[in-house]
Amino acid sequence: MTKLIMILAAILSTSPRSVAAFASGRSAASIRRSFSSSIASSALSAALSGNLVSVDDCLAAFGDDNVKFIDGSWHLAADRDGRSDYEAGPRISGAKFFDIDDISTKGEANPKGLPHMMPPKNIFAAAMDALDVSNENHLVVYGTEGCMFTARCFYTIRGMGHDADKVHLMQGSLAEWIDKKGSIDTDPVKAISAADLDLSAEAKYQAKDATSMVDMQTVLDVVNAEDSADSIVVDARGAARFKAEAPEPRDGMRGGHMPGSSNVPFADLLDPDDPTKFKSADELKAAFEKGGVDISTDKEIICSCGSGVTACTVAMALEECGRDPSKTVIYDGSWAEWGSDQTTPIVS
């Protein structure tokens, strides 16, 4: 019902323009064509509302020139590669691929060699230009079947300055899109690469320095302040890793967790039958309650995980529970940084 109201509002908003066009001497036929086009475009854009959008919503929006689909697939397992899957196809027709590992901070600017850190704004802007994305576009981030990590792509795009009302995460995978007869491309293509970006050209896309991210010193200050801290840390790793009962997947990484942190495993927030979908708001609230997290706390919530990917899942779930996103941040380095630094305190 809410989406229907939004679509009707969008349609009604086109009427004054059509009246003005008539008054300026345009033919009735021209007005009808313009009005019909305006209605169609407004209805398509209005189908996308909120962070999480269904496959049906996306199908309704498909075909609007202002809506762009972004494959944000990333996999921890070595036998899956989002870039290779995208390039080989199938993919949503016209979709582009955003590689969180490639469009990131690397080299001298990342002396610890941490994976998929938020990119410098010039690289992000150049990437958006290469993807033919403008600041005005609605972007729908989606993943391939079984991909449970697309929230990182969503938060990268939003954190680099794209309008929060214009970034959406598709609930359901490419497989569901295909099952529902969504349009696909199957010819092999090459995804953009950071190495090929022209950083000397003036960017059309207007990016910002990364927001909603914190560094290790900020988290260390919170941990050292203990109960007097104005922030709390929520760890998205599995319970066994949090308790140091299972090894970390990266070599040389200590096991355990930050003192005072709470554990809400990211997998508990996703649909067990389809991890490309979040659970209902009531189920998400129950998961946070089980983890001892007060989602309504006035304290800032710092989301952490293994390397800054599934921390975004926790941040998304908090928003779906109604929490103000300005009071939630992501520890970009997460355990990849904290666990490999021999000076940081841990509980194991």
Side-chain angles (χ1 to χ4, degrees):
M1 180 61 72
T2 300
K3 290 190 185 302
L4 177 59
I5 291 171
M6 291 182 63
I7 290 172
L8 289 173
I11 291 171
L12 290 172
S13 71
T14 65
S15 298
R17 290 196 295 272
S18 294
V19 172
F22 183 80
S24 67
R26 290 175 59 188
S27 71
S30 174
I31 292 169
R32 283 194 298 270
R33 287 193 298 271
S34 177
F35 186 55
S36 296
S37 176
S38 254
I39 289 174
S41 180
S42 297
L44 287 171
S45 295
L48 300 176
S49 174
N51 291 338
L52 305 183
V53 291
S54 69
V55 171
D56 288 337
D57 292 335
C58 295
L59 288 167
F62 182 79
D64 186 338
D65 290 340
N66 197 41
V67 176
K68 303 290 180 72
F69 287 82
I70 306 293
D71 184 341
S73 300
W74 181 87
H75 303 277
L76 188 58
D79 61 346
R80 293 286 306 275
D81 179 67
R83 176 182 285 269
S84 297
D85 289 346
Y86 168 84
E87 292 183 335
R91 71 195 74 82
I92 292 177
S93 291
K96 306 295 185 180
F97 182 72
F98 188 94
D99 189 336
I100 63 170
D101 283 327
D102 187 44
I103 308 302
S104 64
T105 295
K106 294 179 285 189
E108 293 182 359
N110 183 3
K112 296 181 181 179
L114 299 171
H116 37 255
M117 294 296 94
M118 291 289 280
K121 67 179 180 180
N122 67 320
I123 291 177
F124 182 80
M128 292 295 100
D129 285 350
L131 295 173
D132 193 28
V133 168
S134 76
N135 292 85
E136 289 71 37
N137 291 149
H138 278 265
L139 304 182
V140 178
V141 177
Y142 76 93
T144 50
E145 186 172 10
C147 181
M148 58 183 73
F149 306 113
T150 50
R152 175 68 192 197
C153 179
F154 173 97
Y155 275 98
T156 298
I157 293 171
R158 197 172 79 172
M160 295 304 301
H162 206 81
D163 188 335
D165 292 332
K166 295 179 179 178
V167 190
H168 316 279
L169 189 62
M170 190 169 86
Q171 297 301 279
S173 70
L174 174 63
E176 184 177 340
W177 174 274
I178 294 173
D179 287 345
K180 293 188 173 183
K181 311 304 180 184
S183 179
I184 59 169
D185 292 333
T186 57
D187 292 338
V189 296
K190 180 174 175 57
I192 70 162
S193 172
D196 297 330
L197 297 176
D198 183 3
L199 301 181
S200 65
E202 183 177 355
K204 297 178 182 178
Y205 187 94
Q206 298 300 304
K208 299 178 181 179
D209 290 324
T211 60
S212 302
M213 298 281 164
V214 295
D215 59 15
M216 189 173 77
Q217 186 58 55
T218 299
V219 181
L220 188 60
D221 290 344
V222 169
V223 169
N224 288 338
E226 300 181 338
D227 292 341
S228 64
D230 56 7
S231 302
I232 61 173
V233 178
V234 178
D235 193 325
R237 293 176 301 151
R241 289 172 64 189
F242 184 81
K243 299 175 182 177
E245 296 172 351
E248 288 295 312
R250 296 175 177 83
D251 292 337
M253 203 75 61
R254 296 177 297 163
H257 59 270
M258 302 170 202
S261 60
S262 301
N263 184 214
V264 179
F266 80 96
D268 291 352
L269 306 172
L270 303 176
D271 185 337
D273 296 322
D274 184 354
T276 65
K277 298 179 180 179
F278 279 80
K279 290 180 176 179
S280 69
D282 286 343
E283 291 173 306
L284 295 177
K285 291 175 183 176
F288 284 115
E289 183 176 357
K290 180 182 177 182
V293 177
D294 177 9
I295 61 175
S296 63
T297 179
D298 289 332
K299 291 189 174 186
E300 178 183 71
I301 294 182
I302 300 173
C303 303
S304 183
C305 61
S307 63
V309 173
T310 59
C312 298
T313 304
V314 172
M316 177 68 77
L318 286 168
E319 283 195 53
E320 290 305 301
C321 290
R323 182 174 172 81
D324 181 350
S326 70
K327 296 181 179 180
T328 302
V329 295
I330 294 160
Y331 173 21
D332 209 12
S334 284
W335 200 257
E337 180 176 32
W338 191 277
S340 61
D341 190 314
Q342 300 303 309
T343 68
T344 53
I346 64 169
V347 177
S348 59

